[in-house]
Amino acid sequence: MKKRTNRIAALIAAAILALSLTACGGDGAGGGDQTDGKDPMVTAMANMSSATSMDAAMSMNMTMEAGGETTETVTSMDMTMFTDPMRMKVEATTEMAGQSATISIYAEQADDGSYMMYMNDGTSWYSAPATAEDLGQYEVSQSMSAYIDSASSFKQEGTETVDGISAYKYTGVITGDNMKDVMMESGALDSMSSLGLSESQMEEMLSGLGDIQVTLWISEADLYPVRYDMDMTAVMDGLMSAILESMGEQAEGLTMSIPEMTMSMTCSNFNSATEFSIPDEAKQ
């Protein structure tokens, strides 16, 4: 029983992490009230889209309760992006159950427009050709824009200091319907095929999800996005229940829940990102 619980919990944890990353990095559906050219948000999105480079840091915290045991997973990513030509560096660390794993990812665009990706899993380097779509999940400006497009009814709520910067504060929601559209179109649900769920089951499972609360801060000084936070606890806990129900007998007698699921991303050094070089051993 414990072995089955751990296996299913691990599969579901991987699936939910993939889905949550898609929620902040996939193509959005819908959009907020962003038509007023005087709105700092409109200017901030234009500034971010035209930026030639930037640094970003993301943290994601998830608590899962399964079979009477609680597991906390903390995922952090440090990213640097250059756009012309495209170069990227990502350091990602996941801590779970007292263990930690770190991977390093680099990518670059060749003169002919093709892409190459290099990854170190902590022991060895691997390299392979990549596409723009493969690298899109790490493209922070696209992720931020998709995040804004997916949220509706953004409201400006004055200013406050965040990470030492005076910023305009906005709040809004990503609806369950938008989440469903993003996940079905992005291929994020492919990670759940090992649970034995059909596409129709997965689509039904995503129906009726709740909303994700989002908060965005935009620097008053230069009108660039500073940080955005997402509280995905309610929607991911609902997704957990739907997954177990869809699994039928495979999950009979199991109890699982997600008491916490939050994500935060900070952006900095627009047009002056930290320089880096792809290690020689990666290319070899």
Side-chain angles (χ1 to χ4, degrees):
M1 177 72 173
K2 183 177 178 60
K3 185 176 181 180
R4 180 182 63 142
T5 299
N6 290 342
R7 173 180 173 274
I8 293 178
L11 290 172
I12 291 177
I16 286 179
L17 282 172
L19 295 177
S20 59
L21 284 171
T22 300
C24 67
D27 292 331
D33 181 12
Q34 305 164 37
T35 58
D36 182 3
K38 297 180 181 179
D39 190 333
M41 183 187 295
V42 177
T43 304
M45 292 305 103
N47 287 342
M48 173 173 254
S49 296
S50 62
T52 58
S53 66
M54 65 180 295
D55 292 327
M58 186 205 76
S59 63
M60 183 180 299
N61 299 299
M62 181 176 74
T63 301
M64 176 183 290
E65 295 182 353
E69 297 184 359
T70 300
T71 301
E72 295 183 0
T73 302
V74 178
T75 302
S76 59
M77 297 176 69
D78 290 317
M79 296 166 276
T80 297
M81 314 285 174
F82 290 84
T83 61
D84 189 18
M86 183 274 181
R87 289 187 295 133
M88 176 189 79
K89 174 185 177 182
V90 179
E91 296 281 345
T93 300
T94 300
E95 299 178 3
M96 181 175 62
Q99 297 184 337
S100 177
T102 298
I103 61 172
S104 301
I105 301 171
Y106 292 83
E108 64 179 350
Q109 185 178 16
D111 293 339
D112 62 2
S114 62
Y115 298 91
M116 198 71 181
M117 178 181 283
Y118 310 90
M119 185 179 75
N120 187 303
D121 60 2
T123 58
S124 304
W125 281 100
Y126 304 89
S127 62
T131 66
E133 290 74 18
D134 295 332
L135 304 176
Q137 62 179 309
Y138 303 105
E139 221 294 315
V140 178
S141 61
Q142 282 186 358
S143 298
M144 179 73 85
S145 297
Y147 156 78
I148 297 300
D149 290 341
S150 295
S152 60
S153 303
F154 259 113
K155 296 180 181 179
Q156 186 177 331
E157 299 189 357
T159 62
E160 65 181 32
T161 300
V162 56
D163 299 329
I165 298 173
S166 180
Y168 298 104
K169 179 181 179 181
Y170 289 83
T171 58
V173 297
I174 298 177
T175 67
D177 287 341
N178 284 350
M179 281 280 292
K180 176 182 176 181
D181 292 341
V182 168
M183 293 176 183
M184 294 302 298
E185 294 172 5
S186 68
L189 294 179
D190 294 345
S191 61
M192 300 176 65
S193 59
S194 57
L195 297 177
L197 304 180
S198 65
E199 183 175 347
S200 61
Q201 284 178 308
M202 289 187 286
E203 184 172 2
E204 181 179 356
M205 177 184 68
L206 294 176
S207 299
L209 291 179
D211 297 336
I212 293 179
Q213 302 297 319
V214 295
T215 307
L216 168 70
W217 290 268
I218 294 171
S219 168
E220 282 190 272
D222 55 18
L223 295 180
Y224 276 101
V226 176
R227 191 175 94 188
Y228 69 89
D229 293 350
M230 303 173 68
D231 186 345
M232 299 174 284
T233 303
V235 68
M236 290 304 172
D237 190 51
L239 180 60
M240 167 70 78
S241 299
I243 291 175
L244 291 177
E245 183 177 350
S246 299
M247 292 175 64
E249 293 182 357
Q250 294 184 67
E252 185 175 354
L254 296 182
T255 57
M256 296 184 184
S257 64
I258 297 182
E260 180 189 13
M261 182 73 169
T262 58
M263 192 208 75
S264 179
M265 179 174 285
T266 60
C267 304
S268 61
N269 298 333
F270 289 96
N271 301 313
S272 58
T274 307
E275 270 293 348
F276 68 87
S277 299
I278 298 176
D280 292 336
E281 56 267 33
K283 294 188 175 184
Q284 293 173 357

